[in-house]
Structures are given as C-alpha cells and as structure tokens.
Amino acid sequence: AQSVEQAAEALAKQKSSGETNKDDHIRVLLAIDQDKDWGLADLDCLVRRNIELFCASEDDVSEANKTREMGEQISLNQVGIRCINCAASTEYDGYCLYPQCLDDLFPAVRAFKSKHLHSCPCFPPDQKARFESLKESSSASFGSVVRDYYLRSAEALGLRNDKSGGIRSTGVSKPIDGGYKKTAE
C-alpha cells in the first residue's frame, strides 16, 4: 500500500504530466491506512477501497461536460472519483463524480455506494458478496466525526478546494493527526 504522501505525489504527477489515461497512471485510492483508526465501519472501508481519485484529462472534461449545465462544468485537472472496477474495464464507461468541494466528498461516496456499487457490472463476485453481507450485518459510519475524517483524509491525500470550483491536487500531504482519532481501549 502506498503512503498518503506517495498518493498525493502520484495524483499531482497525473496533473502535471497529463498522465490521466486509465491504463497508464498509478492508481490513487480514496482509502488510506488510517480509515480503521478513525472508526470507519467495515462497509465504508470496503467502499473507499473501491474508489480511485483522478485528475480530469481533456477527454474526461469533454465527456463530463456533454451532460452538464454551464455552472457545473468540469475543468482540466479537476479531481474526480470513480469506480476502480469500471475504470479497469474496456467494456464499461464506469461511474464517476466530480465533487465541487471537499465537503461534497462524503455525500459523493454515499451516492457511489447507493447508486453504483451494488449494481456495478465489474465488481468482483467475492467483493460483491462481502459488500452485500456487510450491508445486511453492519451499520455504516455517519456523523460529524466521519465527515471531519473525510475532509482530513482528503487533505492528507493533497486535495484542496479550488477558488474557481472543484477539487484540485496539490501534491502536498497535510498530516491527519489530532482530532477525533479513535484510540484502543
């Protein structure tokens, strides 16, 4: 697994090199090692492990803006989230979202979980079975602590709000220490 610092650098490299082709870049997962330390439920950890962050390429921008209103346009290098399973497929376009700010990341992941993951045609059967089992047997993480963690983990991955809208990769990881980190009892 890569550290948050390595992930932040890899995402920034996508932006600076234009290396955003699904097959050619280093995958940067939304999940980080601290997910469990902050008390995220197993279901939420599984969902985060199935989401990758990416910087929008010219092709991504063109495709995304076909269906968007003028005020919601995506711009080059804007950070989006997408299904890692569909991203690896040549048969499916996949599921992607472009949160407009870091605060929108938490609801975007919730939308991914409820609108895509359960019906993803590329979701490996063993993971899908685990997902369904966790949905039935465990509760999801929620609340202000989890929202705060989503913000902190995004900043640890080098993500920041852009003044002109959207999320950008800076390549600079911000420490995730402090706050509400769950400790062993």
Side-chain angles (χ1 to χ4, degrees), residues 37-164:
D37 295 340
W38 275 68
L40 290 189
D42 290 341
L43 177 61
D44 292 311
C45 290
L46 183 136
V47 170
R48 286 172 59 92
R49 285 191 307 266
N50 280 277
I51 295 174
E52 77 173 331
L53 300 164
F54 68 100
C55 294
S57 67
E58 289 180 13
D59 290 342
D60 294 327
V61 170
S62 176
E63 186 63 33
N65 287 339
K66 286 180 186 175
T67 59
R68 294 183 182 272
E69 302 288 327
M70 276 308 278
E72 301 174 346
Q73 296 287 296
I74 302 306
S75 59
L76 186 63
N77 293 319
Q78 185 171 335
V79 172
I81 65 171
R82 67 180 163 210
C83 176
I84 63 166
N85 305 298
C86 293
S89 171
T90 56
E91 296 179 40
Y92 299 97
D93 288 338
Y95 184 87
C96 52
L97 292 170
Y98 295 90
Q100 290 300 303
C101 64
L102 292 175
D103 285 335
D104 291 344
L105 197 54
F106 180 74
V109 171
R110 291 283 186 243
F112 170 82
K113 180 173 84 174
S114 65
K115 294 180 180 178
H116 176 71
L117 203 52
H118 72 281
S119 62
C120 174
C122 304
F123 202 15
D126 60 324
Q127 284 194 42
K128 187 169 189 162
R130 176 95 171 118
F131 174 73
E132 294 299 334
S133 171
L134 287 171
K135 267 187 10 184
E136 292 176 16
S137 66
S138 71
S139 61
S141 310
F142 64 93
S144 61
V145 171
V146 174
R147 281 184 172 273
D148 181 54
Y149 176 70
Y150 267 69
L151 179 63
R152 288 172 184 255
S153 65
E155 289 174 339
L157 289 165
L159 304 180
R160 304 292 185 275
N161 289 325
D162 186 42
K163 288 178 251 169
S164 60

Side-chain angles (χ1 to χ4, degrees), residues 2-24:
Q2 60 195 13
S3 70
V4 290
E5 293 84 4
Q6 291 168 323
E9 289 173 16
L11 198 56
K13 189 180 283 186
Q14 278 184 26
K15 177 180 75 171
S16 65
S17 70
E19 181 186 303
T20 55
N21 180 303
K22 295 191 281 196
D23 301 323
D24 295 337

